[in-house]
Amino acid sequence: MSSPVLDVVIAVVLTLGLTALVASAIVEWVGNLTRKRAKYLLRGLRNMLDAKGDGAGKPGPLAGAEAEKVLYDKALTRTDGTVGDAGLTALVFDHPMLRAMMQPRPSVAGERTRVPPYVPAEMFSRALLDTLVPGDGGPLTLDRVRAAVAGLDPSMPARQALLGLADQSAASLDDFRAGVEHWYDAQMDRVSGWYKRWAKRWLLVVAAGLCLAANIDAYAIAGTLYRDPAVRAAVVGQVQQGSVCAGTPAGDRASCVRELVGAVEGTGRVLW
């Protein structure tokens, strides 16, 4: 039931799919190398907790790179326990639970070198409450949390948002914690969108670079596959059977492969 046209479609889809897979792997490697997920996480949290209308929540491909680095370095640095210049975001990341998620440098000092790319909502809410109301042996109550939040700088977006959540919690600390987690999850959805848009832009750039560097021409590939049955059989065999001459007995497989390679070489053409 096979046909040359169907075989060509299968082979072209395989070629383009492999190109997309390689481009995606390269973009993911670049994102990991540049700590892009962690930097977007920090920018999202800064927009939630500390931003003062400076546009930090709208990252561009180049703009804000220095601000990202400064914010990243602040998250790695130990704080003095006060908001100050570090901001509430850096204080939260100085919590022991979050610092334990950072990758330590192999040294005696055990310095942290990588901010985690994601923090679970429950862990964030606990770290935030512990930062706002440090443990002093007394019970943690919603009134104490409300008083600590009211003492924050009025220009901080976290103050108004947390006061609103406290008013909606009906004197229940669990309800307040759940509200913080929903707020955090909603912000992380935005952060995920930022990263996806960044990845899509670079995926197009990397894919175009691969096509130019490897001379991947879909029209030329389709034409070669359609005209040369030997090449088409080799490529389609990879898709359908996992390897060329897979249906041949083991003793004759080497001869089958040599004959197929000889047929391909005899065409005088290459796929790209």
Side-chain angles (χ1 to χ4, degrees):
M1 298 299 292
S2 180
S3 71
V5 174
L6 180 60
D7 289 345
V8 168
V9 170
I10 292 174
V12 170
V13 169
L14 173 65
T15 303
L16 298 181
L18 288 175
T19 304
L21 184 63
V22 172
S24 179
I26 292 175
V27 171
E28 188 64 26
W29 175 76
V30 171
N32 183 62
L33 185 67
T34 59
R35 281 65 158 175
K36 206 63 182 179
R37 290 184 184 273
K39 288 177 179 178
Y40 275 124
L41 168 66
L42 290 171
R43 297 188 76 159
L45 290 179
R46 185 179 186 279
N47 208 35
M48 283 176 63
L49 306 175
D50 299 306
K52 299 184 176 73
D54 57 355
K58 301 178 180 179
L62 296 176
E66 185 62 29
E68 282 184 350
K69 183 179 184 303
V70 171
L71 188 59
Y72 194 91
D73 292 341
K74 284 183 178 180
L76 292 173
T77 305
R78 300 304 299 261
T79 67
D80 58 2
T82 60
V83 176
D85 294 333
L88 190 55
T89 301
L91 279 182
V92 171
F93 268 89
D94 200 25
H95 190 277
M97 287 194 303
L98 270 60
R99 292 200 69 81
M101 296 178 66
M102 297 181 183
Q103 178 181 339
R105 181 185 301 166
S107 65
V108 177
E111 300 173 2
R112 265 50 183 177
T113 60
R114 280 180 178 264
V115 173
Y118 178 73
V119 175
E122 181 179 0
M123 187 172 293
F124 169 77
S125 66
R126 291 182 181 277
L128 179 62
L129 290 179
D130 287 347
T131 300
L132 293 172
V133 186
D136 57 2
L140 181 62
T141 63
L142 186 59
D143 289 337
R144 294 185 64 192
V145 173
R146 183 183 285 108
V149 172
L152 295 175
D153 188 332
S155 65
M156 298 174 64
R159 182 179 185 276
Q160 196 63 33
L162 292 174
L163 286 177
L165 291 174
D167 293 338
Q168 299 170 15
S169 299
S172 170
L173 186 61
D174 290 337
D175 289 345
F176 176 78
R177 183 179 287 113
V180 171
E181 292 173 5
H182 289 314
W183 179 42
Y184 173 81
D185 285 335
Q187 183 69 2
M188 290 305 101
D189 287 341
R190 294 185 61 204
V191 170
S192 178
W194 296 345
Y195 181 81
K196 287 178 180 178
R197 287 193 292 273
W198 173 85
K200 287 178 181 178
R201 288 193 296 266
W202 283 102
L203 187 60
L204 290 175
V205 173
V206 172
L210 285 175
C211 290
L212 292 174
N215 194 23
I216 301 175
D217 186 339
Y219 292 103
I221 293 172
T224 301
L225 291 172
Y226 188 79
R227 290 189 300 268
D228 296 336
V231 177
R232 185 169 66 246
V235 177
V236 175
Q238 292 284 356
V239 179
Q240 294 178 337
Q241 300 178 5
S243 64
V244 178
C245 299
T248 305
D252 300 330
R253 193 166 297 168
S255 299
C256 174
V257 172
R258 282 196 296 269
E259 291 174 1
L260 186 57
V261 170
V264 173
E265 291 177 344
T267 63
R269 300 184 183 93
V270 295
L271 289 181
W272 53 76

